[in-house]
Amino acid sequence: MAELEIKNLNKYYQLGNKSKFHALTDINLSFEKGELVSIVGESGSGKSTLMNLIGGLDSQFDGEINITGVNLKNLSDRELDEYRKKKVGFVFQSFNLIPHLTILDNVTIALTLSNVRESEKIEKATKVLEKLGLAEQIKKKPTQLSGGQKQRVAIARALINDPEIILADEPTGALDSQTTLQILDILKSIADEGKLVIMVTHSEKVASISSRVVEVSDGKIINDQNKKGRKKKQSTNIAETKVTKNKKTNLSFWSAIRLSFHNMWASKVKNFLIAFGVSISLVSLILMLAFGSGLTDYINSLANEYNNPYYVSITKRKDKDNPNMPANPLSPLPFKTDEEINEIITDINAQLEKANNEYRISNEVVSYGFNQMTYGTSTTFKFKVDENGIYSDEGQEEKSESIFYIYTTPPYYTDANMLAGNISGDNEVMFSKALLKKLGLNNYDDVCGKVRLNIDIPRYGLNTKDIISQEQGLTGDPIVSGIIDVTGIFENFPVMYVSYDYLNKLVSYVDTEGKIGFRPTALYIKTDDEKTTEFINNYLNSLDYYSGSVEEQMASMFTQMISTFSTALTIIAGISLIVATIMILVVLYMSVTERTREIGVLKSIGARRKDIKRIFSSESLLIGILSGLVGIILSLVCGGILIIALKSLLGFAPISFRWYYFVIALGISIIISVLAGLLPASKAAKLDPVESLRHE
Ligand code: ADP
Ligand code: MG
């Protein structure tokens, strides 16, 4: 059986819609191993067309091309890939070495596609390269070699899988006469060692060396000369060892990564710039998230600063009668009835029981007692200062100047919380530093025990001037007893503190006159330990209608604003990620175009579509990882600089990194790169090998 037998081969090229070009007509040829065949003929006569058909790069033909009796036409795509990988070796006029790989890697690439062990690859390639006189060159890149050397590397690559047929399309076309002879000698010795070598040439001299000359003209064989008779020698092959049968003979994932890495390294500036571009979006994303959580952390730390770990506060988030109107933390909703208070206390006690916590809240309202409840309230009112003192004068709008807040002193405030003076009792109030500042007073001594205050809240029917009650110990306008040290979220709020008892007396006094009283807006409960506090707080914060302290409500209001704000910024960062994705897509498309020839070479040595896809996909994966890492490093650097700058400007830096922000950024970067790589990779995989090889 002939090694290669061509029967009635016809090749048509489809031109446009209906017209066809008849490139090869009724070719009948038969070749044996050991032959060195020259195919000669004018340019355009169909020589390359014939070679591409024999080599399985083009499988569109009529007739038969039988390789040891098997028609190429009957092979599946996979079998055809396998045929190119194992049975034929290509040598091209323009060498077609892969520029970013070393000589060694260029030769071993065919083995890499078969997932051959590293040591075995190197051993084989070194042997072949040594025989071709290239032992010294294996670490070089193709650009560092002369034309003759390059062609010898290409021959080594063609031989590495020990194929039966070597196809060389004008292998000496780009070489001077001296090197031409060298290459011919090599091809001749390959034929002598028992392979079928088919070579396309223009040169008569080149043809004269071969054992057989086939002349093609206009797609027809016009001459077939057998000059020296067949020589057949089966023994020593240049590539001595047969390819070991590996179970998995495809390009492995790691080899694909390695190949892509080499390619990316070859254009490292470009790839680094892409990674930098993508990383800018990642940095903005990470910083937005870190800024959002930093602000939230900061607000929460302010809210918690004054929360005593042994006290629980209960405030209302919404009113059951009017759930669409959420509470404003600055004028909280009152507990309208005692039943309402009982209900929430009973509920919390039930939760404590469920959690096997022994602690229970007593429903009895007593001041400052263990596990007892204390009421608190707060409200706003308007005030005016003149030569006669400080007036709250809500009823007389024209005199009003500003707003401040009345808070009842929480039970856990002690003298330790005072900047000056004492905790207030009956006939006394306390000012916050911010209120003092607002009133234009700055000397504590001028205020404490001296300034009297006329509280006038017509809403409550309350005017301290009128309230003198021997029985209750009320003496009229209260005096400022001290300055309270308010830190945390309310630090800059002008607040006047009064004791709940005192306020209650004032109002109940008015009550007897038939005026409106007030209801508590906060319940303070002393607990047995921090765990109970935490448990109750967590429970309260999970509720729709109740929450913990006013500070917590305030914090959650701010937090909500911040999260809306940072969501908006994150969306902008997201849009920039879309831009980054498109950028990667464009760059990868360009990379496919740039590497079209390389893809053709890979296909000619048996790379499957899958392998090509894998090489390009791993390139996009690497870009994703690189961008992610650059993004993480840059955001740490930028974040660090921002923290230092904000600390020196504001005294605090609301930036908190969470480890998972980096994971998210890396994940997003990998996902967008891999997604962006899908289209270019499948475009690369679909390229026609013959066209790719012709690509300029
Ligand atoms: P040679 O290698 O002998 O110079 P080719 O085999 O490259 O010639 O080309 C043979 C003929 O087929 C030429 O006329 C060429 O224009 C034509 N041809 C080659 N490839 C294509 C193609 N893809 N589509 C249409 N015509 C083609
Ligand atoms: Mg040609």
Side-chain angles (χ1 to χ4, degrees):
M1 193 187 297
E3 173 67 20
L4 166 62
E5 193 178 29
I6 298 171
K7 280 190 196 160
N8 302 322
L9 173 66
N10 280 281
K11 168 71 189 175
Y12 300 91
Y13 283 116
Q14 195 72 39
L15 303 173
N17 271 349
K18 291 231 168 101
S19 65
K20 279 183 186 170
F21 175 74
H22 201 166
L24 292 175
T25 313
D26 297 331
I27 306 288
N28 284 288
L29 285 167
S30 177
F31 302 112
E32 294 297 335
K33 279 187 177 178
E35 280 190 85
L36 175 62
V37 184
S38 273
I39 303 208
V40 296
E42 299 200 344
S43 176
S45 54
K47 306 180 296 295
S48 295
T49 302
L50 181 61
M51 296 291 267
N52 293 337
L53 287 169
I54 296 171
L57 287 175
D58 181 356
S59 49
Q60 303 298 312
F61 59 88
D62 296 338
E64 290 174 33
I65 300 175
N66 297 314
I67 310 291
T68 54
V70 179
N71 190 353
L72 288 185
K73 219 178 163 104
N74 299 333
L75 298 185
S76 68
D77 282 353
R78 279 216 63 168
E79 288 168 327
L80 211 56
D81 289 335
E82 206 61 17
Y83 165 70
R84 285 199 298 263
K85 200 189 278 184
K86 303 274 168 69
K87 292 275 176 84
V88 282
F90 276 95
V91 178
F92 306 94
Q93 175 175 6
S94 49
F95 324 126
N96 280 340
L97 300 178
I98 298 171
H100 56 83
L101 295 181
T102 61
I103 299 313
L104 185 68
D105 285 338
N106 261 287
V107 175
T108 54
I109 181 104
L111 299 173
T112 305
L113 290 173
S114 304
N115 198 26
V116 173
R117 252 187 310 117
E118 192 67 20
S119 55
E120 192 179 333
K121 283 198 299 196
I122 294 175
E123 190 194 313
K124 277 188 175 187
T126 319
K127 215 169 252 172
V128 178
L129 283 164
E130 265 170 13
K131 287 217 168 174
L132 293 167
L134 292 162
E136 310 286 299
Q137 322 293 338
I138 59 171
K139 292 220 166 100
K140 290 187 181 169
K141 290 279 171 72
T143 46
Q144 294 165 312
L145 300 189
S146 71
Q149 284 174 319
K150 280 188 212 169
Q151 200 57 300
R152 277 184 279 155
V153 174
I155 292 170
R157 178 177 63 192
L159 287 173
I160 192 73
N161 264 329
D162 194 22
E164 288 159 18
I165 305 168
I166 296 286
L167 300 172
D169 195 345
E170 302 191 40
T172 59
L175 303 176
D176 59 49
S177 53
Q178 185 69 29
T179 20
T180 294
L181 287 177
Q182 271 181 22
I183 296 297
L184 285 176
D185 268 351
I186 292 167
L187 290 173
K188 196 161 184 297
S189 66
I190 293 169
D192 287 347
E193 281 166 9
K195 295 187 194 300
L196 167 60
V197 179
I198 304 175
M199 155 176 81
V200 170
T201 182
H202 279 304
S203 147
E204 279 299 315
K205 206 166 109 199
V206 170
S208 68
I209 297 170
S210 32
S211 58
R212 185 168 163 191
V213 178
V214 175
E215 200 177 342
V216 187
S217 177
D218 282 336
K220 294 183 194 88
I221 310 287
I222 54 164
N223 202 352
D224 185 356
Q225 243 185 317
N226 208 337
K227 293 165 98 188
K228 292 179 188 168
R230 285 172 210 150
K231 237 200 246 169
K232 215 171 178 181
K233 208 160 82 181
Q234 293 288 30
S235 59
T236 51
N237 291 338
I238 284 186
E240 272 159 352
T241 39
K242 284 262 172 207
V243 179
T244 18
K245 288 264 178 286
N246 280 48
K247 266 187 202 147
K248 202 179 147 208
T249 58
N250 298 324
L251 176 69
S252 75
F253 173 74
W254 288 113
S255 302
I257 293 275
R258 215 176 74 91
L259 282 175
S260 315
F261 184 79
H262 277 298
N263 179 59
M264 283 180 66
W265 188 252
S267 36
K268 42 187 174 299
V269 176
K270 182 187 86 178
N271 285 307
F272 188 77
L273 284 176
I274 304 167
F276 183 67
V278 177
S279 75
I280 290 173
S281 329
L282 295 173
V283 168
S284 53
L285 179 74
I286 293 175
L287 287 184
M288 284 315 121
L289 292 171
F291 190 58
S293 54
L295 276 177
T296 307
D297 286 356
Y298 177 68
I299 299 287
N300 284 333
S301 78
L302 289 184
N304 290 325
E305 202 159 337
Y306 243 83
N307 280 354
N308 189 301
Y310 291 98
Y311 275 92
V312 170
S313 316
I314 308 175
T315 57
K316 284 176 74 172
R317 218 192 279 277
K318 283 191 264 186
D319 208 299
K320 282 187 171 134
D321 297 337
N322 193 6
N324 295 329
M325 266 281 286
N328 169 2
L330 296 178
S331 58
L333 297 170
F335 290 85
K336 285 188 194 150
T337 58
D338 289 351
E339 285 74 62
E340 201 179 348
I341 295 171
N342 275 329
E343 207 174 286
I344 180 68
I345 299 300
T346 312
D347 185 15
I348 292 171
N349 281 339
Q351 292 299 321
L352 288 164
E353 190 173 356
K354 233 204 261 172
N356 291 326
N357 189 320
E358 309 266 285
Y359 176 83
R360 298 285 178 278
I361 302 168
S362 153
N363 288 36
E364 216 176 303
V365 180
V366 190
S367 296
Y368 305 98
F370 173 72
N371 87 352
Q372 305 296 323
M373 184 164 43
T374 314
Y375 286 159
T377 196
S378 60
T379 188
T380 55
F381 75 112
K382 295 180 176 168
F383 72 94
K384 158 97 180 153
V385 189
D386 65 18
E387 59 286 357
N388 298 318
I390 301 163
Y391 295 89
S392 63
D393 53 357
E394 210 167 56
Q396 304 160 54
E397 296 296 329
E398 68 280 0
K399 277 163 80 187
S400 298
E401 279 178 359
S402 195
I403 283 176
F404 67 87
Y405 306 93
I406 301 181
Y407 270 55
T408 52
T409 319
Y412 46 82
Y413 273 37
T414 66
D415 281 341
N417 301 106
M418 302 304 292
L419 289 167
N422 306 303
I423 287 278
S424 65
D426 284 355
N427 303 309
E428 287 174 336
V429 298
M430 296 180 288
F431 282 1
S432 75
K433 216 162 69 171
L435 175 57
L436 211 62
K437 206 170 135 198
K438 205 162 183 181
L439 295 172
L441 301 165
N442 33 37
N443 193 342
Y444 298 160
D445 293 339
D446 291 347
V447 181
C448 295
K450 290 187 181 126
V451 172
R452 279 194 179 275
L453 191 73
N454 177 2
I455 304 176
D456 181 7
I457 313 178
R459 244 185 300 160
Y460 295 148
L462 189 80
N463 189 334
T464 46
K465 202 155 236 129
D466 307 336
I467 301 170
I468 297 162
S469 155
Q470 307 254 304
E471 188 194 328
Q472 295 207 58
L474 300 181
T475 60
D477 287 349
I479 203 155
V480 178
S481 74
I483 313 299
I484 199 160
D485 186 13
V486 184
T487 55
I489 222 161
F490 286 108
E491 185 169 355
N492 295 314
F493 281 75
V495 183
M496 186 188 80
Y497 285 87
V498 297
S499 84
Y500 187 84
D501 280 355
Y502 175 50
L503 196 62
N504 200 32
K505 277 181 194 170
L506 292 176
V507 173
S508 59
Y509 177 85
V510 178
D511 261 358
T512 59
E513 307 275 290
K515 300 273 166 63
I516 318 149
F518 71 93
R519 296 285 306 168
T521 61
L523 313 176
Y524 299 102
I525 296 139
K526 191 157 195 271
T527 62
D528 54 347
D529 73 7
E530 292 181 36
K531 286 224 172 73
T532 305
T533 309
E534 199 185 322
F535 176 84
I536 299 177
N537 270 333
N538 286 341
Y539 178 63
L540 285 172
N541 288 330
S542 75
L543 294 178
D544 240 13
Y545 286 97
Y546 298 98
S547 99
S549 62
V550 180
E551 282 89 345
E552 277 164 39
Q553 266 193 37
M554 190 85 154
S556 80
M557 194 175 79
F558 279 137
T559 307
Q560 214 161 356
M561 277 159 59
I562 291 161
S563 94
T564 314
F565 176 70
S566 64
T567 304
L569 289 177
T570 309
I571 287 171
I572 294 170
I575 290 169
S576 79
L577 280 169
I578 294 173
V579 175
T581 311
I582 294 170
M583 183 175 78
I584 299 176
L585 184 74
V586 170
V587 169
L588 288 173
Y589 257 123
M590 276 160 58
S591 169
V592 171
T593 311
E594 261 170 40
R595 293 166 69 189
T596 299
R597 232 164 204 277
E598 183 183 328
I599 294 163
V601 173
L602 288 171
K603 290 204 165 167
S604 76
I605 58 177
R608 301 165 307 155
R609 282 185 174 198
K610 227 188 214 168
D611 298 331
I612 307 278
K613 215 178 234 175
R614 195 170 267 186
I615 291 171
F616 279 87
S617 300
S618 43
E619 185 157 335
S620 55
L621 175 70
L622 286 179
I623 288 178
I625 293 172
L626 182 67
S627 312
L629 294 179
V630 172
I632 288 170
I633 292 167
L634 275 183
S635 51
L636 281 172
V637 171
C638 295
I641 293 171
L642 261 177
I643 288 173
I644 292 167
L646 287 174
K647 278 220 167 110
S648 74
L649 277 172
L650 305 174
F652 69 97
I655 292 176
S656 306
F657 289 114
R658 308 263 198 270
W659 63 268
Y660 53 84
Y661 293 168
F662 301 111
V663 178
I664 290 172
L666 185 63
I668 287 180
S669 165
I670 290 174
I671 288 169
I672 63 167
S673 313
V674 169
L675 283 181
L678 287 180
L679 275 177
S682 82
K683 184 197 168 191
K686 280 188 199 133
L687 286 177
D688 177 77
V690 177
E691 273 169 37
S692 315
L693 284 166
R694 221 186 284 126
H695 186 85
E696 294 301 318

